[in-house]
């Protein structure tokens, strides 16, 4: 099962919105279709009504990431289970066009999307992919970027569960901000120490007179 591929459906949808910045790129049918990536047949089913429906699913998926990032493991699972119940998947064995050295199909499990509704199909795949990732790697592998004000969703695939940011760009930005904050603190402490020393010298000098 291509776990990373299917769970990425959830990440892509959640990250079409940046709540803190007030940005939302999910504003048209074309934006909905772009989320399907190379799945052109599924993308063609998207209609105007799917924009609103996708936004609703997006909010529910973000709630899963928020619960996981907040350490509310049971809540994250409950929220994800509700999506799985509402949007069931149709697992199928598929070989696609992939062949081994002997020309035999490379069989694998494939999550077939719902043929009649773009939102239901996408939600089913996103929820199931996220469920596979959660059960395989743990709830704490679902995160929200700590580089304020980003808060993009990400899936932690690091070997030591150390990921805190959605991208290298955000990691760099956060590290630079932390470095500057330390420098300001050091400068403030140096300034305070200097003022204290000057005050002590003046007091001593006045006492010697």
């Amino acid at each position: 099962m291509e776990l990373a591929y299917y769970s990425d459906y959830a990440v892509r949808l959640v990250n079409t919105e940046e709540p803190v910045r007030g940005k939302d790129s999910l504003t048209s049918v074309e934006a909905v279709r772009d989320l399907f990536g190379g799945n052109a047949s599924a993308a063609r089913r998207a209609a105007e009504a799917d924009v609103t429906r996708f936004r609703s699913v997006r909010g529910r998926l973000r709630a899963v990431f928020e619960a996981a990032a907040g350490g509310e493991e049971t809540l994250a699972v409950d929220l994800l289970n509700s999506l799985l119940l509402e949007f069931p998947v149709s697992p199928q064995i598929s070989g696609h066009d992939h062949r081994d050295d002997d020309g035999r199909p490379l069989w694998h499990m494939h999550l077939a999307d719902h043929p009649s509704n773009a939102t239901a199909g996408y939600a089913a795949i996103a929820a199931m992919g996220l469920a596979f990732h959660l059960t395989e790697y743990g709830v704490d592998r679902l995160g929200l970027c700590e580089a304020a004000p980003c808060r993009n969703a990400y899936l932690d695939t690091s070997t030591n569960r150390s990921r805190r940011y959605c991208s290298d760009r955000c990691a760099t930005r956060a590290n630079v901000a932390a470095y500057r904050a330390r420098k300001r603190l050091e400068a403030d402490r140096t300034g305070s120490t200097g003022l204290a020393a000057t005050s002590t010298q003046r007091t001593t000098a006045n006492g010697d007179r």
Side-chain angles (χ1 to χ4, degrees):
M1 183 71 69
E2 299 171 344
L3 300 181
Y5 174 78
Y6 287 122
S7 55
D8 192 54
Y9 269 55
V11 174
R12 288 205 303 268
L13 177 54
V14 170
N15 291 346
T16 59
E17 181 183 30
E18 297 180 71
V20 178
R21 291 190 174 108
K23 294 182 179 180
D24 187 347
S25 62
L26 192 58
T27 58
S28 66
V29 178
E30 288 71 25
V32 169
R33 289 172 179 159
D34 286 343
L35 288 169
F36 285 93
N39 194 341
S41 60
R44 282 194 293 269
R45 294 197 299 269
E48 199 67 45
D50 285 303
V51 176
T52 300
R53 291 195 289 253
F54 262 65
R55 285 179 173 178
S56 176
V57 172
R58 178 182 65 187
R60 295 170 65 182
L61 286 170
R62 175 171 282 277
V64 174
F65 278 93
E66 288 175 343
E72 298 180 88
E73 183 171 338
T74 301
L75 176 58
V77 171
D78 287 344
L79 292 171
L80 190 50
N81 272 336
S82 69
L83 283 164
L84 292 170
L85 287 171
E86 186 173 345
F87 303 105
V89 297
S90 301
Q92 295 178 351
I93 300 174
S94 175
H96 295 307
D97 297 323
H98 304 295
R99 303 277 173 171
D100 62 18
D101 293 337
D102 296 323
R104 299 174 59 189
L106 294 174
W107 301 114
H108 62 277
M109 290 300 296
H110 172 74
L111 299 183
D113 53 11
H114 200 288
S116 63
N117 184 297
T119 301
Y122 193 98
I125 292 174
M128 183 57 75
L130 204 56
F132 274 122
H133 195 95
L134 184 151
T135 54
E136 181 73 15
Y137 301 109
V139 177
D140 58 339
R141 293 291 189 148
L142 278 59
L144 290 174
C145 187
E146 295 182 16
C150 179
R151 303 302 284 171
N152 270 352
Y154 65 84
L155 299 170
D156 185 0
T157 56
S158 64
T159 55
N160 57 356
R161 299 172 182 264
S162 61
R163 185 171 178 179
R164 297 169 55 200
Y165 308 106
C166 69
S167 64
D168 290 340
R169 178 182 179 183
C170 276
T172 300
R173 185 160 53 85
N175 289 334
V176 170
Y179 173 79
R180 289 174 176 171
R182 287 196 301 271
K183 285 300 182 182
R184 284 196 298 269
L185 182 60
E186 290 173 3
D188 290 342
R189 286 175 177 172
T190 300
S192 297
T193 302
L195 288 174
T198 301
S199 177
T200 300
Q201 291 172 356
R202 288 175 177 173
T203 301
T204 301
N206 291 333
D208 291 339
R209 290 175 184 175

